[in-house]
Amino acid sequence: MKLSLSSVYTPYSFPIILKSYAFSNLCKPFCSSALSSSPPISLKPQVPLFLRPPIYSTKFCDFKKWHDWAKGIASSIGSTFVNSDNGPDSSILCRELKWLMEDAVEDHSLFSKMGFENYDERVKMRVGIEELYDLWKERIEKRRPFQYVVGCEHWRDLVLSVQEGVLIPRPETELIVDFVCDVVSKNEDLKRGVWADLGTGSGALAIGIGGASGIGGRVIATDINPVSVAVAAYNVQRYCLQDKIEVREGSWFEPLKDIEGKLAGLVSNPPYIPSKEISGLQAEVGRHEPRVALDGGIDGMDYLFHLCDGAALFLKPGGYFAFETNGEQQCRALVDYMKNKRSESLCNFEIVADFAGIQRFVIGFHH
C-alpha cells in the first residue's frame, strides 16, 4: 500500500508513498464515454484533473502570482512534516507543485516564461485560479494526499482515477501483477481461467492483471465500499476492459458464491495495519484514506486469515494465490496458519520480498 507524496509509514513496514509522477505516460487507450465530472466522495467518479477540458482562463500575471504564493508556502514547510510524521519535505512539495501546474495548464511552454514580469498572454486552464488556491491550501493545511488533489495515481503503465473514499494504489502492489504474469506464462489452464481481485479499491490489480498478463479468461473485482466499486468500474471503462473485467459490490468472497471452487487465481492487497497503529500513520494516510482499507484488526491479520480460508474453498485444483502483507512477521504468521489449518487444501507457500527487500507477499497454490 502506498502514496506518491513523500515518505515512509514507519509502523509495521507499511510501504512508502513515493512514486514518480510522469504525466506523459498515459500508455493505454481509454474510452472517452467514461469521462464525467462530479464532486468528491460521490458514487459518480471524479474526472482526473489532467483529463478535464481547458475551459478556464486567467491572466499570466495572476497565474504567476498563484505559483509564487504556492511555492513560497511549500518552501516554508522545510522538514516540519518529516519531523511530525515522516511526511513530505519542501523538495517533494515543490515537485508536486510542478506536477499540479502540468495537470492544470494546457500549454506547458508558458512555464518557461515564469521569470518574465510583463508577459501578458492568457493562460488556458482545466481549473479556475481560485480553485487552484483552494487545492494547494488543502494539500498543505489539511495534508490532503496529492493524488486526491489531482484525482489520479500513476501505477505501472496505468493512470488510475482515485478520490476520497478510495485507497491510493502503492508501487509495491505492482509486483503482484508480475507474479501473475509469470505463473500464467507457464500454465495455459491458469491463463484461460477466472481470476479474482478481492478488495479491489481503484481496480488497480484487476486492471493490471486483465490488461497485462495475457489472461484469456475474465477477472472479477470485488469491494464492499460503493465508492471504490464506482471508481474501479470507471477505471475499467477508461481502459476499455469492461468485456474482460467485472466489478462486483460485496464483502470479500460473498459476491463470488457462483464460482466457488472454480477460480484459477486469487489476488488481494487487504487491510493489514494493526488497529492501534492507524493513528500513527502519516497524516495523508491516517486522516484521509479510508480506514476500512487500512485497518486489519488487532494484529492486522483478520482479513489475511479470511483470505486463506476463502482460497481453500474458492480456488480450483492447481489454482494460484498472491496476498500482500505488512511485512515479514505477518508473512510468517500467514504461512504458519496455512500449514497448520489449511495444508489439506493449500500448498507450495513462498514468501517474496518487495522493492525495498521487505518480506511483503505470500504466494502459493491449491492442491
Side-chain angles (χ1 to χ4, degrees), residues 308-355:
C308 292
D309 294 340
L313 287 174
F314 281 80
L315 286 174
K316 68 180 185 179
Y320 175 84
F321 66 86
F323 303 142
E324 182 172 327
T325 78
N326 202 27
E328 183 175 359
Q329 185 176 347
Q330 287 190 353
C331 283
R332 296 197 178 282
L334 203 59
V335 169
D336 288 344
Y337 177 82
M338 289 187 284
K339 285 180 176 178
N340 293 326
K341 302 280 188 178
R342 297 296 172 204
S343 59
E344 75 287 352
S345 302
L346 306 176
C347 62
N348 297 342
F349 313 120
E350 185 179 349
I351 295 173
V352 185
D354 64 15
F355 297 122

Side-chain angles (χ1 to χ4, degrees), residues 40-91:
I41 316 243
S42 167
L43 294 185
K44 187 178 181 184
Q46 216 174 298
V47 176
L49 180 56
F50 81 106
L51 289 177
R52 298 177 197 173
I55 60 175
Y56 300 90
S57 175
T58 192
K59 294 178 181 178
F60 181 82
C61 61
D62 289 335
F63 178 74
K64 184 178 184 302
K65 181 179 178 183
W66 167 81
H67 168 266
D68 293 345
W69 165 83
K71 187 173 183 180
I73 290 178
S75 299
S76 72
I77 296 301
S79 58
T80 301
F81 295 162
V82 176
N83 296 334
S84 172
D85 57 16
N86 221 2
D89 64 12
S90 285
S91 64

Side-chain angles (χ1 to χ4, degrees), residues 195-364:
W195 286 69
D197 168 21
L198 302 191
T200 194
S202 64
L205 278 175
I207 296 169
I209 290 170
S213 66
I215 287 179
R218 63 192 176 110
V219 181
I220 300 174
T222 75
D223 206 294
I224 195 172
N225 176 4
V227 180
S228 290
V229 169
V231 169
Y234 172 84
N235 284 323
V236 167
Q237 189 176 7
R238 279 193 59 233
Y239 285 95
C240 301
L241 289 169
Q242 55 268 48
D243 291 338
K244 192 167 189 176
I245 301 172
E246 179 185 357
V247 183
R248 299 182 181 181
E249 183 175 342
S251 177
W252 300 110
F253 294 92
E254 286 178 7
L256 302 178
K257 290 179 180 178
D258 58 319
I259 51 172
E260 183 174 329
K262 300 177 182 177
L263 282 177
L266 175 63
V267 298
S268 184
N269 175 24
Y272 53 59
I273 303 299
S275 301
K276 66 182 179 180
E277 300 298 331
I278 300 295
S279 62
L281 293 175
Q282 187 186 82
E284 284 81 358
V285 182
R287 292 183 198 169
H288 295 277
E289 293 200 75
R291 183 162 184 141
V292 69
L294 300 171
D295 192 337
I298 293 176
D299 58 2
M301 297 294 296
D302 288 3
Y303 302 110
L304 286 163
F305 289 147
H306 183 62
L307 286 168
C308 292
D309 294 340
L313 287 174
F314 281 80
L315 286 174
K316 68 180 185 179
Y320 175 84
F321 66 86
F323 303 142
E324 182 172 327
T325 78
N326 202 27
E328 183 175 359
Q329 185 176 347
Q330 287 190 353
C331 283
R332 296 197 178 282
L334 203 59
V335 169
D336 288 344
Y337 177 82
M338 289 187 284
K339 285 180 176 178
N340 293 326
K341 302 280 188 178
R342 297 296 172 204
S343 59
E344 75 287 352
S345 302
L346 306 176
C347 62
N348 297 342
F349 313 120
E350 185 179 349
I351 295 173
V352 185
D354 64 15
F355 297 122
I358 297 170
Q359 303 299 300
R360 179 71 63 190
F361 308 97
V362 175
I363 63 176

